[in-house]
Amino acid sequence: MSALTIEYQSERVIAAMTRPEVRNAIDEEMVNEFHALCGELEREPRILIITGSEGIFASGADIGQLRERRRDDALRGVNSTIFRRLAQLPMPVIAAIDGYALGGGAELALAADFRVGTPRIKVGQPETGLGIMAAAGALWRLKEVVGEPMAKEILFTGRILTADEALACGFVSSLDEDPVAAAHALADRIAKQDPLAVRLSKQVFAMPTSAHPYVDNIAQAICFESDAKFDRMQAFLDRKKK
């Protein structure tokens, strides 16, 4: 891979966007490499940490490529398709953000389950200033994360949030000088849980309201038959006896 640098660990994978010469702009090559990585993580589920390089998460889509795209390219949903695939990965996804997370970069971060940032982040959706919409997820994910009034201001006015503003509205859950270390700390906490229970919790969490509580009961039935449930509960009971 040339647009992504991948590090594999036992229960997690770290993917760093490495196009610093264009501020980690997301081009089709990077999209294709994310697809390849998703294929691996769908076959062998692990926690995914996505980060940038050289003080930048991702400045957005590659404007040079975006300038040349036409109607049929938009209908292909180049970025929206990969962001949806990332969001639907079996195990949680964590975005470790530094510097700019703009346009497609912000939408990539929104596709993650968790976002941690540095005090230097700048977050926003400047698409309307370029004559297009934020069509890779921000139009519906952003209001779920920051609330409808703030989402409209970001989307309709091109407002760029500072780190403190991003923290206050919930775009990021924490600020840390080393967001990758913070992401690893969060991944450590997830890794202590039963992987099957985490996977099922993520899938059921994403279900529409009409699917509950039926899908909850089915997923719980699967958990109730797992070896991990018996082992972990017995360990809990054993600790209580001490």
Side-chain angles (χ1 to χ4, degrees), residues 88-106:
Q88 293 174 346
L89 284 173
M91 290 294 283
V93 179
I94 306 168
I97 307 168
D98 193 8
Y100 293 111
L102 301 175

Side-chain angles (χ1 to χ4, degrees), residues 1 4 19 21 37 45 54 65 68 84 95 99 104-105 118 121 125 133 143-144 151 166 206 218 227 231 234:
M1 292 188 176
L4 297 178
R19 301 186 72 223
E21 69 282 359
L37 177 59
E54 298 190 17
Q65 288 188 3
E68 301 306 316
R84 183 172 67 251
T118 72
I121 60 172
Q125 303 291 160
M133 301 187 308
K143 65 182 178 182
E144 295 177 354
I218 294 169
D227 291 339
D231 293 343
Q234 187 61 54

